[in-house]
Amino acid sequence: MDMGQLFLVILVGCFVFFLVSLIFGMDHGELGGGHDHGGHDGDGDGFMTDLFTLRNIFLFGVGFGALGSIANAYGAGPLVSSFAGTVAGVLMAVFGAWLFRLLRKQQANSVTSLETLVGTSARVTTTIPKGGRGEIATINEHGVNVTMSAQSSDEAIMENVNVTILSVVGNTATVKPL
């Protein structure tokens, strides 16, 4: 196997593993640690931690194989081809780390606690019988529609009546009419 073929094998192999890591969500097989189990940054993580992931090692291999192969095809020797490939690989890995870090920062997080709804208003969507449960709908602090089980503090409340949420225990709110 000559150098040109070796560069192509590295290029194709790393590209395939990079695609597999994207498809199956294995984008944070980090070598440096520092990520939680969900693959998200903690407050103390930096760019260097994001740089040393399996995904970026595959990107390095793609850049290394591509430019090394091109340089070899234009008659460069093994040392020059390897140097050119290394420069391209580092640039691809740095760009990949920057891009995926940017994309991760754009992810929305609508995880919220139902307890934050206490004191807000809601609308009864299913009649709440006295001593029983019905359903209410409201909007949380992220602007997301929330429906939940509700019980009345002391009376039946008909559908479409606006209520105040007095307390939340588990997934059930205690409400009273406005």
Side-chain angles (χ1 to χ4, degrees):
M1 179 180 297
D2 72 351
M3 284 300 287
Q5 291 172 327
L6 180 60
F7 284 121
L8 286 176
V9 166
I10 292 170
L11 167 64
V12 171
C14 287
F15 185 71
V16 167
F17 282 118
F18 174 73
L19 287 179
V20 167
S21 75
L22 289 179
I23 292 168
F24 292 106
M26 300 178 297
D27 61 341
H28 276 85
E30 68 275 337
L31 299 177
H35 293 279
D36 65 17
H37 294 290
H40 299 286
D41 288 344
D43 290 336
D45 291 342
F47 183 77
M48 292 303 288
T49 302
D50 284 345
L51 184 61
F52 293 105
T53 64
L54 289 176
R55 179 199 59 231
N56 288 333
I57 290 172
F58 297 146
L59 279 176
F60 172 85
V62 169
F64 178 82
L67 199 57
S69 178
I70 292 169
N72 185 269
Y74 278 100
L79 187 61
V80 172
S81 296
S82 295
F83 179 76
T86 300
V87 169
V90 168
L91 290 175
M92 282 197 67
V94 168
F95 177 74
W98 171 79
L99 180 64
F100 282 98
R101 187 175 176 90
L102 179 68
L103 291 174
R104 209 170 39 252
K105 285 182 180 180
Q106 300 301 315
Q107 291 177 343
N109 183 0
S110 62
V111 175
T112 185
S113 171
L114 294 176
E115 286 80 22
T116 62
L117 298 173
V118 173
T120 64
S121 62
R123 185 177 50 83
V124 176
T125 56
T126 303
T127 298
I128 304 170
K130 184 175 182 175
R133 293 188 184 192
E135 187 176 80
I136 61 171
T138 189
I139 297 174
N140 70 13
E141 69 270 20
H142 299 291
V144 176
N145 291 323
V146 176
T147 58
M148 59 191 301
S149 174
Q151 61 190 13
S152 173
S153 55
D154 59 347
E155 62 185 286
I157 305 173
M158 301 306 294
E159 188 174 328
N160 291 321
V161 171
N162 289 326
V163 294
T164 298
I165 299 173
L166 301 175
S167 66
V168 176
V169 177
N171 290 351
T172 303
T174 301
V175 298
K176 72 173 184 177
L178 285 176

